Amino acid sequence: MLQLYDSLARKKKDFKPYDKNNVLLYVCGITPNNATHLGHAFTYVMFDTLIRFLKHQNYGVKYVQNATDVNDSNDVIQQAKETGKTWTEIAKFWTDHFHKQMTALNVGRPNEYLLASDFIEEIVSINETLIEKGFAYQKNGNVYFDISMFRDYGSLSKYAQEQMLMISLERGNDPRDPNKKNPLDFVLWISVQGEPNWKSPWGLGRPGWHIECSAMIKSALGDQIDIHGGGRDLIFPHHESERAQTESLTGKKPYVQFWMHAGMVMYEGEKMSKSLGNLVLLEDLLKQYSPSMIRWLLLSHHYRHPWEYDAEELLKCELRVTDLKNKLQQKDLGNWDIIEKLMEDDLNTPEVLRYMVESCAGKTLSRAYTLLGFKI
Ligand SMILES: [Zn+2]
């Protein structure tokens, strides 16, 4: 029986989707203003590996991912201003770049790849309903979610109030905003005069980041889904807020059966991030190393655990990959059940790789290779 770790329950649970033939999976996508780095690769290779395993176990999967091409902050718009291009050109350039990098790593395309800017109408309509039902309010052209109406707020991240306040401030959701009823209320719609902006009952503006994913999931997958994924840094405020909005909107619980989060990739002692400038770009690695080596490095770390990138470790992967390629032609060796059991235990890819190196050859090895998405 497949068991996956659910971040909300904080434990591994038996995987029982609503419909085995149509597992509903959504993974939060990139903000298209930046080159794809190893942290992105870790998250998307992990979900690609999950999908490969689900399909291997005869599940049907509907996989939706998005790009946050527009939101209440101005990540993409700022770059458009700096370069003299339009924000849509910037978003297209970086989403194309992302797809190219993912293809190189043998990461399959989602069934649907959505742009947040295509869902403005749905977002406005959701906001209207949330206001009608008393879960949200408008003030000076902004719409906020009223967290006092969702008693469970904070139970996904399990952060204390002070911690949530601190992170909100860091991420640009100022707890001191005088329009708010509660310091942790978050934006569903923000009044913006400059382009791009859209008409709404509250004036010209742009949607908040969290409501975008709620709207895209509702449109593409429905009110309740099986798996919602992303990097660990999305738990709060993004997923915490998504959950509050959608469960308030639909009245159905749970919004998500399994919250799955990939650990952070560190470099030089800190989380790899654009703002810190400690990025290891995938395009640079791909110039020097084979995609299989990079994929091996990523899968040699369990998806939930944070780890630090080390070029030495990547070089060791080369030996492994070359050694195994030689063993592919040899006599069959290894027990497929062991591989399957390890994968069923919350995708224990590090142990699968170890088992492949130590005990597999021939047909079993090549099956394991294919299962984990390596190109032979
Ligand atoms: Zn999202």
Side-chain angles (χ1 to χ4, degrees):
M1 180 83 187
L2 173 60
Q3 288 210 315
L4 296 171
Y5 185 90
D6 171 27
S7 302
L8 178 63
R10 285 207 170 168
K11 62 176 185 194
K12 291 176 202 169
K13 300 186 326 197
D14 290 346
F15 183 62
K16 290 180 195 151
Y18 293 110
D19 177 0
K20 194 178 187 295
N21 298 316
N22 193 29
V23 173
L24 304 176
L25 165 65
Y26 182 91
V27 179
C28 289
I30 54 160
T31 299
N33 70 335
N34 188 14
T36 307
H37 60 73
L38 204 61
H40 297 130
F42 189 51
T43 298
Y44 299 111
V45 163
M46 171 244 154
F47 284 102
D48 181 63
T49 307
L50 168 67
I51 291 162
R52 285 171 190 275
F53 188 60
L54 288 173
K55 288 182 177 167
H56 166 77
Q57 294 214 322
N58 295 319
Y59 291 98
V61 181
K62 184 170 180 192
Y63 175 26
V64 178
Q65 198 191 116
N66 78 299
T68 309
D69 59 343
V70 66
N71 66 9
D72 51 306
S73 75
N74 57 4
D75 303 321
V76 176
I77 298 155
Q78 186 59 32
Q79 199 174 112
K81 276 185 191 149
E82 286 164 13
T83 55
K85 296 200 168 93
T86 66
W87 66 276
T88 48
E89 282 168 345
I90 298 287
K92 184 172 185 326
F93 177 83
W94 289 118
T95 43
D96 287 350
H97 163 91
F98 171 72
H99 290 312
K100 217 173 117 193
Q101 307 287 306
M102 289 299 112
T103 303
L105 281 188
N106 205 22
V107 170
R109 277 290 275 260
N111 300 95
E112 290 182 33
Y113 192 77
L114 308 178
L115 295 178
S117 61
D118 288 333
F119 290 82
I120 306 291
E121 232 172 84
E122 287 84 347
I123 293 165
V124 168
S125 144
I126 289 174
N127 287 356
E128 286 179 309
T129 310
L130 285 172
I131 293 173
E132 262 167 45
K133 289 186 168 184
F135 293 108
Y137 58 94
Q138 87 84 26
K139 188 80 192 282
N140 294 326
N142 296 346
V143 179
Y144 298 90
F145 186 85
D146 182 347
I147 62 141
S148 68
M149 296 296 290
F150 191 76
R151 283 173 54 201
D152 229 13
Y153 197 76
S155 61
L156 178 59
S157 60
K158 284 143 188 103
Y159 288 156
Q161 176 92 354
E162 299 74 51
Q163 205 172 353
M164 291 197 277
L165 285 167
M166 199 183 73
I167 298 172
S168 294
L169 184 61
E170 274 172 19
R171 306 274 175 91
N173 176 19
D174 194 337
R176 298 159 303 188
D177 177 350
N179 292 324
K180 288 182 182 181
K181 288 185 188 169
N182 314 293
L184 282 175
D185 290 352
F186 54 87
V187 160
L188 300 174
W189 186 264
I190 191 160
S191 164
V192 180
Q193 294 311 314
E195 298 264 326
N197 57 13
W198 287 265
K199 280 185 194 154
S200 82
W202 320 286
L204 291 170
R206 286 203 289 267
W209 172 34
H210 318 313
I211 196 70
E212 293 179 341
C213 283
S214 282
M216 286 183 273
I217 290 176
K218 193 173 183 347
S219 299
L221 296 171
D223 292 348
Q224 292 180 291
I225 65 171
D226 296 299
I227 304 170
H228 192 326
R232 220 195 125 65
D233 54 345
L234 294 188
I235 292 183
F236 186 86
H238 189 50
H239 290 165
E240 191 82 72
S241 304
E242 250 191 65
R243 178 170 174 255
Q245 294 158 170
T246 300
E247 290 192 354
S248 302
L249 177 77
T250 64
K252 294 177 195 166
K253 289 174 192 236
Y255 167 40
V256 169
Q257 288 217 65
F258 287 82
W259 291 95
M260 292 183 72
H261 295 101
M264 294 290 103
V265 181
M266 322 282 282
Y267 188 46
E268 294 166 342
E270 302 254 26
K271 177 192 133 187
M272 208 174 274
S273 76
K274 196 189 176 199
S275 51
L276 291 170
N278 60 341
L279 298 180
V280 176
L281 300 183
L282 204 52
E283 60 185 343
D284 292 339
L285 291 183
L286 283 164
K287 281 177 201 152
Q288 299 174 62
Y289 309 104
S290 76
S292 291
M293 278 170 71
I294 299 169
R295 200 164 168 120
W296 190 283
L297 173 74
L298 298 171
L299 293 176
S300 70
H301 296 275
H302 190 268
Y303 81 84
R304 280 196 283 124
H305 300 155
W307 56 284
E308 168 104 18
Y309 169 70
D310 174 2
E312 295 273 313
E313 206 190 325
L314 188 50
L315 287 171
K316 281 181 200 152
C317 296
E318 184 172 27
L319 299 175
R320 301 263 150 74
V321 171
T322 316
D323 182 41
L324 284 186
K325 278 196 174 155
N326 296 332
K327 284 189 186 164
L328 285 172
Q329 307 307 327
Q330 293 173 10
K331 196 167 136 274
D332 188 33
L333 208 62
N335 181 345
W336 185 255
D337 288 347
I338 291 177
I339 292 170
E340 202 136 10
K341 285 265 158 14
L342 288 170
M343 287 299 281
E344 281 183 341
D345 181 16
D346 195 31
L347 311 178
N348 193 346
T349 57
E351 284 303 316
V352 173
L353 294 184
R354 193 165 302 143
Y355 183 70
M356 282 161 70
V357 170
E358 287 168 6
S359 311
C360 295
K363 198 170 145 250
T364 305
L365 182 60
S366 93
R367 273 183 90 190
Y369 242 76
T370 310
L371 178 68
L372 295 180
F374 294 106
K375 278 186 190 161
I376 294 175

